[in-house]
Amino acid sequence: WIKLSSLFWFCSLAFKAAVLIQRWYRRHVARLEMRRRCTWRIFQSIEYACEQDQIKLHNFFSYLMDNFTPSSSKERDFISRMFISGESFKEAELEKYCDYESLEVPDSYTGPHLSFPLLPDHATALLEAFKQKQQLHARYVLNLLHETRKHLKQLPNISHVSTCYSEEVTVCGDLHGQLDDLFLIFYKNGLPSPSKSYVFNGDFVDRGKQSLEILIILFTFLLIYPKEVHLNRGNHEDHMVNLRYGFTKEVMQKYKLHGKKILKMIQNVFCWLPLATLIDQKVLVIHGGVSDTTDLDMLEKIQRNKFISVLRGKKRKESNRNVEIKEVNGESQAEPDSAGNETTPSLPSQPRPAQAPSMANRVEFSRWVRQTVQEQIEWCRKLVDISDSEEEELTCSSLVSLTDLDGPCWTRQEEWKQVSDILWSDPMSQEGCRENTVRGGGCYFGPDVTGKILEKYNLQFLIRSHECKQEGYEFCHNRKVLTIFSASNYYEIGSNRGAYVKLGPDLVPHFVQYQANKTAHTLTMTQRISRVEESAFRALREKLFAHTSALISAFKVYDKDNTGRITLSNWATAVESVLRLGLPWRMLRPQLVRSTADGMLEYKSWLDDLAMEQRSQEHIQSSLLEVIYRNRSNLETIFRIIDRDHSGLISFEEFHQTWKLFSSHMNIELTDDGINDLVRSIDFNKDGNIDFNEFLEAFRLVKQSQ
């Protein structure tokens, strides 16, 4: 009996110990999951805020073109240069500009050689060369882009793939310049071949360091296996986005002599990429998503190459210009008054129709008629002050029947919205469809919108990319929308897996997940989360520093007595009111603010802990420094637009003009003395030009230990 009772006692202790261990483990896992989710929200909030800034900046450019009155011919030329650089070349001009045949490959070149038509051995040679960090000669790059462009021009807007001709179709999501992920996909799944089809769903470039190599490999396989390899356009296949997120810079660093030609050719290739892919007429593959106005019939018929940049697709208000602009031989001139001053007439002047094209070209003539009629309608409206809301909108189709001449009479705005929605949209759990204010482009679409699209076009489900997912893929909308993301370790090593999905004739998705970085495999879950968390909070502290002045103003609202102290609750409220990232600041507070006994925060000393390490601090005003750091991405984008030859250099005068536009966009005041001090301090070699890369490197954040 004693032995039996002792046994029961030991069993009871063991059971209690097991329960305690289980409770501890569950709490530990729950804390790790909470930390992971907070980290994820930080990364996504900062990423989407940056995309929103990009779209706001280009909306500002459009506003500038409509409302900015140049005060001199130099200013007028400066403005026009910012926008002309993005326009497309005519066919013959592009061929002449990007003439690859004029480039000679020297005998000293040891990289891969290409000859057309391409063979599978060429693709294998390219893969091996890129693994050895070799570079393809500019002649071959331009030749490849030339052939790719010719092929893409023959493709429809929506590609059609059938599983009848191959065992499976593999769909890959965003790669974002991470070549190791593409190598791993090919290693696990096999190279494209007549029996192995691939759909690459956009966002091949930007952020990663080997975007160009990815493009070269994909375009090579596209030309070798045109029926088995399909490429969709993503929102990053856009030269205006590339200016901000690194692809433009990458190409110019790798091809300093011929980079400008390569970029111009890539820009033209991007606008010819198909917009979607249909698998067995049942699965729609698009980069972003859909909206309540998505019309696949319209998408199939629009002229997709018109949208060189989707960011520039919005129709600007021509009626709101401050000056009348005449476009004569590419020059913009303001109408002077009798005294020679530029004036804006009080009444709108009647538009003068352009010279009519020949009737032999029916398409051009129909477009001329439509444009002329619309201009006359707008002029009449302004004269009698008729708004669109008061009268039924008159359109070209209501006055002139042109369907026999020029097909459907969609407006450019309608076409732009179709393209913008499928490239920029994201799914949401709520019903309905609303503007995507987080990214700044596209929309949020709910399960009901998905259901209507599937029912209307007899589809089973949608595959999209565009969003990083921790496991590399994620279902939503009752498993009717699948997000696939193929760039592993996107935010930081260990932050996420990459994945691709395989579809057989039964269209049942089979997923393959992977980690392309070897270090990620050696980390425990706790180490991985800690590493990613550290990177996320470092980025968040940079954001906080960049808004120092605004934070001080927000804190003072809660510091009525000017004590320099506020409650931690008020700190969280004030920070969100400034950054507007939608983050749980009370939960993040222990990682950002040292705990205090009385629950009060000395906010000035806290902001001092977010100080900037300045390489050229002697001459730069602290307020100017903060403005630079907060808006360096916007400034870099403007800088690269002005730098038409992509040399990385602009003159002092252009730099002053940049800051003039920049201050106008951000509604801030900058003194000439402050700008001059800045110019002198960062012109290290005193050659009279500004190197923007050195400019960015001149300012770094001190990584404070917590």
Side-chain angles (χ1 to χ4, degrees):
W1 172 256
I2 295 175
K3 290 183 178 179
L4 188 61
S5 62
S6 298
L7 181 62
F8 279 128
W9 182 72
F10 280 116
C11 288
S12 175
L13 284 179
F15 180 76
K16 289 180 180 178
V19 170
L20 287 174
I21 292 172
Q22 187 182 59
R23 288 176 179 173
W24 173 86
Y25 178 75
R26 286 176 176 173
R27 283 198 297 268
H28 176 69
V29 171
R31 290 193 189 101
L32 286 179
E33 178 62 16
M34 181 181 66
R35 289 169 60 189
R36 184 196 68 79
R37 292 188 180 186
C38 286
T39 299
W40 200 258
R41 285 193 64 178
I42 291 171
F43 276 130
Q44 282 201 330
S45 296
I46 292 176
E47 178 188 2
Y48 294 167
C50 189
E51 289 183 345
Q52 189 178 103
D53 287 345
Q54 170 77 357
I55 292 180
K56 285 180 179 178
L57 181 63
H58 289 287
N59 288 342
F60 159 70
F61 286 162
S62 295
Y63 174 82
L64 185 70
M65 289 296 287
D66 293 335
N67 298 277
F68 186 79
T69 305
S71 59
S72 66
S73 59
K74 287 185 178 180
E75 248 180 38
R76 188 180 301 114
D77 177 65
F78 176 78
I79 295 297
S80 64
R81 281 176 54 193
M82 292 183 66
F83 295 93
I84 292 173
S85 60
E87 299 303 322
S88 61
F89 279 74
K90 293 181 179 179
E91 187 81 15
E93 293 174 344
L94 185 66
E95 296 291 337
K96 184 178 179 181
Y97 180 74
C98 300
D99 180 21
Y100 58 88
E101 294 179 347
S102 62
L103 304 182
E104 293 186 3
V105 181
D107 295 335
S108 59
Y109 172 70
T110 58
H113 294 262
L114 298 183
S115 59
F116 295 82
L118 292 173
L119 300 173
D121 288 345
H122 291 120
T124 304
L126 276 175
L127 291 173
E128 290 302 317
F130 290 155
K131 287 178 183 177
Q132 301 301 321
K133 310 299 182 185
Q134 291 181 319
Q135 187 169 294
L136 186 64
H137 193 274
R139 175 194 171 98
Y140 298 132
V141 176
L142 286 170
N143 196 353
L144 176 66
L145 293 172
H146 174 79
E147 296 297 326
T148 302
R149 179 172 170 271
K150 283 201 305 184
H151 173 70
L152 290 174
K153 289 176 68 174
Q154 301 172 13
L155 299 182
N157 291 348
I158 301 179
S159 303
H160 293 263
V161 185
S162 175
T163 57
C164 297
Y165 302 106
S166 62
E167 297 177 0
E168 293 174 322
V169 175
T170 301
V171 182
C172 301
D174 299 31
L175 288 167
H176 277 303
Q178 297 185 189
L179 186 58
D180 288 343
D181 287 299
L182 183 60
F183 284 155
L184 191 54
I185 291 170
F186 287 158
Y187 173 77
K188 285 177 169 289
N189 198 55
L191 296 176
S193 68
S195 61
K196 193 171 293 293
S197 296
Y198 277 89
V199 177
F200 292 93
N201 197 24
D203 278 14
F204 319 121
V205 302
D206 280 335
R207 294 196 170 97
K209 296 181 179 180
Q210 293 174 294
S211 298
L212 187 56
E213 286 83 353
I214 286 179
L215 279 186
I216 291 171
I217 291 171
L218 295 183
F219 290 164
T220 299
F221 278 116
L222 175 69
L223 294 179
I224 297 173
Y225 302 111
K227 295 182 179 179
E228 289 78 31
V229 176
H230 306 271
L231 308 180
N232 285 349
R233 185 176 184 177
N235 65 306
H236 278 262
E237 277 65 65
D238 186 313
H239 77 100
M240 297 302 292
V241 178
N242 301 151
L243 286 166
R244 189 185 193 102
Y245 291 101
F247 182 52
T248 299
K249 181 179 177 181
E250 175 192 332
V251 173
M252 290 307 303
Q253 286 179 339
K254 292 177 178 178
Y255 293 91
K256 293 181 172 61
L257 186 59
H258 303 291
K260 187 179 177 183
K261 292 182 179 181
I262 292 173
L263 283 171
K264 182 59 66 175
M265 199 68 181
I266 289 175
Q267 171 185 320
N268 200 271
V269 169
F270 279 170
C271 69
W272 281 107
L273 285 169
L275 302 173
T277 300
L278 263 176
I279 302 176
D280 287 349
Q281 301 295 320
K282 291 294 183 181
V283 179
L284 178 64
V285 185
I286 47 179
H287 179 72
V290 294
S291 72
D292 53 0
T293 60
T294 295
D295 186 340
L296 297 186
D297 297 325
M298 185 188 298
L299 276 175
E300 281 190 312
K301 296 174 183 176
I302 65 176
Q303 190 179 344
R304 67 180 185 271
N305 66 302
K306 290 191 300 185
F307 300 98
I308 299 171
S309 172
V310 178
L311 292 182
R312 288 186 175 183
K314 287 186 177 180
K315 183 180 178 182
R316 298 193 300 267
K317 289 186 178 180
E318 300 294 334
S319 60
N320 287 343
R321 290 183 180 271
N322 291 336
V323 292
E324 183 185 352
I325 302 295
K326 290 193 277 185
E327 296 190 8
V328 182
N329 298 326
E331 296 181 356
S332 298
Q333 298 175 329
E335 288 290 339
D337 60 13
S338 57
N341 301 319
E342 293 176 352
T343 62
T344 302
S346 57
L347 289 174
S349 59
Q350 183 172 3
R352 293 186 292 273
Q355 183 177 356
S358 171
M359 282 288 290
N361 189 332
R362 295 168 65 83
V363 173
E364 289 298 323
F365 183 76
S366 69
R367 288 176 180 164
W368 174 81
V369 172
R370 185 189 306 176
Q371 180 181 356
T372 303
V373 170
Q374 197 66 39
E375 287 174 351
Q376 296 294 328
I377 292 171
E378 290 298 325
W379 176 72
C380 292
R381 276 201 182 122
K382 284 185 282 185
L383 234 92
V384 296
D385 196 24
I386 298 177
S387 65
D388 290 349
S389 60
E390 291 173 340
E391 295 288 339
E392 181 182 354
E393 184 176 354
L394 295 173
T395 64
C396 57
S397 58
S398 64
L399 295 176
V400 182
S401 177
L402 300 173
T403 54
D404 293 336
L405 297 176
D406 201 21
C409 187
W410 297 314
T411 66
R412 182 180 176 88
Q413 182 71 9
E414 290 173 325
E415 294 180 343
W416 169 82
K417 189 178 187 312
Q418 293 291 320
V419 177
S420 175
D421 284 345
I422 66 167
L423 297 187
W424 282 89
S425 297
D426 294 307
M428 65 177 180
S429 57
Q430 299 86 359
E431 300 282 306
C433 184
R434 59 182 175 84
E435 184 181 359
N436 192 334
T437 55
V438 176
R439 287 190 190 268
C443 69
Y444 281 118
F445 63 99
D448 56 327
V449 175
T450 298
K452 290 176 182 177
I453 292 289
L454 297 181
E455 181 181 0
K456 180 178 179 181
Y457 297 103
N458 194 25
L459 302 172
Q460 289 187 13
F461 62 97
L462 307 178
I463 297 179
R464 43 94 61 180
S465 302
H466 196 44
E467 285 184 289
C468 181
K469 299 298 180 183
Q470 187 189 14
E471 297 301 321
Y473 73 93
E474 183 179 276
F475 277 108
C476 64
H477 293 183
N478 196 26
R479 297 180 69 86
K480 296 299 183 183
V481 174
L482 168 63
T483 299
I484 193 79
F485 196 85
S486 299
S488 63
N489 308 293
Y490 179 63
Y491 293 123
E492 176 61 64
I493 293 176
S495 64
N496 66 285
R497 296 179 181 180
Y500 56 87
V501 59
K502 300 193 289 186
L503 299 174
D506 56 2
L507 297 180
V508 175
H510 299 278
F511 302 98
V512 178
Q513 299 167 287
Y514 53 84
Q515 280 275 12
N517 189 285
K518 294 180 180 179
T519 305
H521 293 283
T522 64
L523 300 176
T524 65
M525 179 184 291
T526 303
Q527 290 173 330
R528 188 164 58 248
I529 290 177
S530 296
R531 182 168 185 160
V532 176
E533 186 180 55
E534 180 183 354
S535 177
F537 278 102
R538 184 166 60 248
L540 189 56
R541 285 192 290 271
E542 290 180 7
K543 274 280 185 186
L544 289 166
F545 170 81
H547 292 80
T548 298
S549 298
L551 286 171
I552 290 176
S553 299
F555 293 152
K556 286 183 177 179
V557 172
Y558 298 98
D559 183 18
K560 304 292 185 182
D561 299 328
N562 293 323
T563 61
R565 290 157 55 87
I566 59 173
T567 65
L568 296 176
S569 177
N570 288 338
W571 170 86
T573 304
V575 169
E576 175 57 26
S577 69
V578 173
L579 266 65
R580 299 185 181 276
L581 293 176
L583 294 174
W585 294 103
R586 288 174 177 81
M587 189 179 298
L588 302 177
R589 180 186 55 77
Q591 297 285 344
L592 298 170
V593 179
R594 294 192 183 96
S595 58
T596 57
D598 59 355
M600 301 294 289
L601 171 69
E602 293 184 3
Y603 55 85
K604 291 184 179 179
S605 62
W606 173 71
L607 290 170
D608 289 340
D609 291 339
L610 300 173
M612 176 82 74
E613 184 182 48
Q614 307 164 27
R615 190 182 298 174
S616 307
Q617 57 187 351
E618 309 89 50
H619 301 295
I620 303 177
Q621 302 169 3
S622 59
S623 59
L624 180 59
L625 181 63
E626 180 194 333
V627 170
I628 293 168
Y629 199 83
R630 182 169 70 248
N631 300 284
R632 67 192 186 282
S633 294
N634 281 337
L635 184 57
E636 181 172 10
T637 305
I638 297 175
F639 187 104
R640 296 198 184 283
I641 292 173
I642 298 166
D643 179 20
R644 290 188 65 192
D645 60 358
H646 303 290
S647 64
L649 300 173
I650 62 174
S651 67
F652 283 3
E653 183 180 358
E654 288 174 327
F655 189 81
H656 273 273
Q657 296 284 6
T658 302
W659 274 98
K660 185 173 182 179
L661 293 177
F662 177 66
S663 60
S664 171
H665 171 51
M666 300 307 300
N667 195 25
I668 54 179
E669 293 184 5
L670 299 173
T671 65
D672 288 338
D673 290 340
I675 298 175
N676 290 333
D677 288 341
L678 175 63
V679 168
R680 286 193 294 269
S681 64
I682 64 178
D683 182 21
F684 299 122
N685 56 8
K686 308 303 178 185
D687 64 350
N689 290 313
I690 304 296
D691 182 337
F692 191 74
N693 294 328
E694 291 179 349
F695 167 71
L696 284 183
E697 291 173 3
F699 314 104
R700 295 187 184 276
L701 184 70
V702 176
K703 297 170 184 164
Q704 297 286 344
S705 59
Q706 296 300 306

